[in-house]
Amino acid sequence: MNNFNNMKGHTAIFMANVIFGLGVPVSKALLDNWVTPLGYMASRCVGATIIFWIVACFMPKEKVERRDLLTMLAGGLLGFVISQTLTAEALKYTTPVYFSLVAALTPVSVMILAAIFLKESITGLKIVGVVMGIAGALLMLFTSWTSGTGSNDLLGISLAVLSVLTWAVYLIITRKISAKYSAVTQMKYFFLISMIVIVPIALCTQPSQPLYSSEWEWSGVLEMAFIVLFATGLGYFLIPYAMKYLKATTVSIYTNIQPVVASLVAIAIGQDLLTWDKPLAAILVLLGAYIVTMPDKKENA
C-alpha cells in the first residue's frame, strides 16, 4: 500500500509540472497580447475559486481547525497572490526559458530555507549542489545583463528568483496540513483568499484588458481557459494531493520538469532563442537540484 501511495504521489506531481511547464509559454502569450499581470491573476483566482467550491459541494465535508485554516490562508497569500504575481511580472520582462530555469531552483531554495528555519542539516555534497544551482542562476543573470533577448531579462530573472523563494516557503509551511486535509479543501480556501485580495485591485485595470473587451479573440480565450482549468485548477489540485504522500523536497525536485517542457515549447513556437548560456545554465541548475534532493544514507529511498 505504501508503494502504491508513493506511486500516486509521484504520478500526480509529474503531471502537475508538465502542465506548469506548458503554462509558462501560454502565460507569456497571454501577458504579451491579452491581459495585464493583475488581469491574468484575477482570471485565475476567480476561475479556480469557482471550480474548487463547486467540486467541494460533492465531496464529504471536512472540519478545518482554526489554526490550520490560518495556514491555508497564509498559503494562498504566499503560494499564489505573492508568488504568482511575481511570476506574471517576471514573464513580462524575461523569456520562458530563463524563467523556467529559475523555477528549477525550487529544490535548492527549499533546502536552504529548511536549513535556516527548521534547522535541517546540510551535507557537504548538498552544499556542492547549492553552489552549482547558484552558479547557474548567476550565469543567467550575467548573460541577460549583457545580451538577454527579453525586454528586461535582469529584472525578470530577479522577480523570478523572488517568486521561487516565496513558493519554497509555501511548500514548507503547508506540508503538515497537506497530510491532514484533502486537496479540494485546501484549494478552496487557498483561492478564496487569493480572489478576495486580487480581484478588487484588478478591477482598476479592467480597461487595459483586451481579452475582456471587444478586441477579444478565440485564441486568447483558449489560452486563458488552459491556464484556469489546467495550470491553475488541475495543477494546484495535484500539488497538495502529491504532498500527502511525498516529502517537500521530493515534490520540489519535479520542478525540474518545467524548464524542459517550457523551453522546448517556447523555442518551437518562436518565443525564445537557443543561446549558448541556456544549456550550460540548465546543466548547472538541474544537476544542482538533483544533488540537493538525493536522499541521505539515513533517509529512506
Side-chain angles (χ1 to χ4, degrees):
M1 178 61 73
N2 188 51
N3 288 336
F4 179 65
N5 286 337
N6 284 339
M7 183 179 69
K8 290 194 295 184
H10 284 287
T11 302
I13 200 61
F14 175 82
M15 290 174 57
N17 280 284
V18 170
I19 292 170
F20 290 150
L22 293 171
V24 172
V26 174
S27 295
K28 179 67 173 175
L30 278 168
L31 292 163
D32 285 347
N33 301 301
W34 297 111
V35 289
T36 64
L38 280 174
Y40 168 84
M41 290 291 297
S43 300
R44 294 182 71 184
C45 289
V46 172
T49 301
I50 293 171
I51 290 170
F52 283 110
W53 280 87
I54 290 176
V55 172
C57 292
F58 299 93
M59 295 185 65
K61 291 185 178 180
E62 290 184 294
K63 183 177 180 181
V64 180
E65 296 178 18
R66 180 175 298 181
R67 180 177 60 184
D68 294 336
L69 178 59
L70 291 175
T71 302
M72 290 180 188
L73 297 179
L77 293 174
L78 284 170
F80 195 81
V81 174
I82 298 176
S83 178
Q84 294 303 301
T85 298
L86 288 168
T87 290
E89 291 289 345
L91 283 168
K92 277 180 57 180
Y93 299 108
T94 192
T95 65
V97 174
Y98 277 141
F99 174 82
S100 58
L101 286 176
V102 173
L105 290 169
T106 300
V108 176
S109 303
V110 170
M111 194 197 70
I112 292 174
L113 293 175
I116 294 173
F117 297 107
L118 303 180
K119 308 303 180 184
E120 293 186 3
S121 60
I122 303 179
T123 64
L125 183 60
K126 292 189 176 183
I127 291 175
V128 172
V130 170
V131 171
M132 292 181 69
I134 293 174
L138 291 176
L139 175 62
M140 285 185 279
L141 286 170
F142 175 76
T143 307
S144 67
W145 179 50
T146 56
S147 59
T149 55
S151 61
N152 190 337
D153 283 297
L154 188 61
L155 175 60
I157 291 172
S158 299
L159 291 170
V161 169
L162 292 176
S163 174
V164 166
L165 289 172
T166 308
W167 180 251
V169 174
Y170 160 75
L171 290 177
I172 291 172
I173 69 171
T174 59
R175 178 65 183 91
K176 290 184 178 179
I177 64 168
S178 293
K180 290 179 64 175
Y181 304 101
S182 71
V184 172
T185 296
Q186 294 175 65
M187 291 299 103
K188 73 177 187 179
Y189 291 112
F190 182 99
F191 284 107
L192 178 62
I193 187 64
S194 300
M195 184 180 72
I196 291 171
V197 173
I198 288 289
V199 170
I201 302 172
L203 287 175
C204 300
T205 67
Q206 181 61 31
S208 57
Q209 312 289 335
L211 184 61
Y212 301 115
S213 71
S214 58
E215 301 175 29
W216 74 274
E217 293 180 8
W218 280 111
S219 60
V221 173
L222 292 174
E223 289 166 1
M224 183 58 77
F226 175 83
I227 293 299
V228 172
L229 295 175
F230 293 96
T232 308
L234 181 57
Y236 274 81
F237 167 82
L238 291 171
I239 291 172
Y241 179 84
M243 289 179 69
K244 291 175 70 71
Y245 308 111
L246 305 174
K247 296 180 179 179
T249 49
T250 304
V251 169
S252 65
I253 194 174
Y254 276 91
T255 310
N256 297 342
I257 296 169
Q258 291 186 38
V260 177
V261 175
S263 299
L264 290 174
V265 174
I267 292 171
I269 65 177
Q271 281 187 345
D272 210 336
L273 299 173
L274 182 61
T275 54
W276 69 269
D277 61 299
K278 290 167 185 170
L280 180 56
I283 291 171
L284 290 170
V285 168
L286 297 181
L287 186 56
Y290 172 75
I291 291 172
V292 302
T293 51
M294 288 175 60
D296 296 329
K297 293 180 180 179
K298 294 181 180 180
E299 295 178 340
N300 294 325

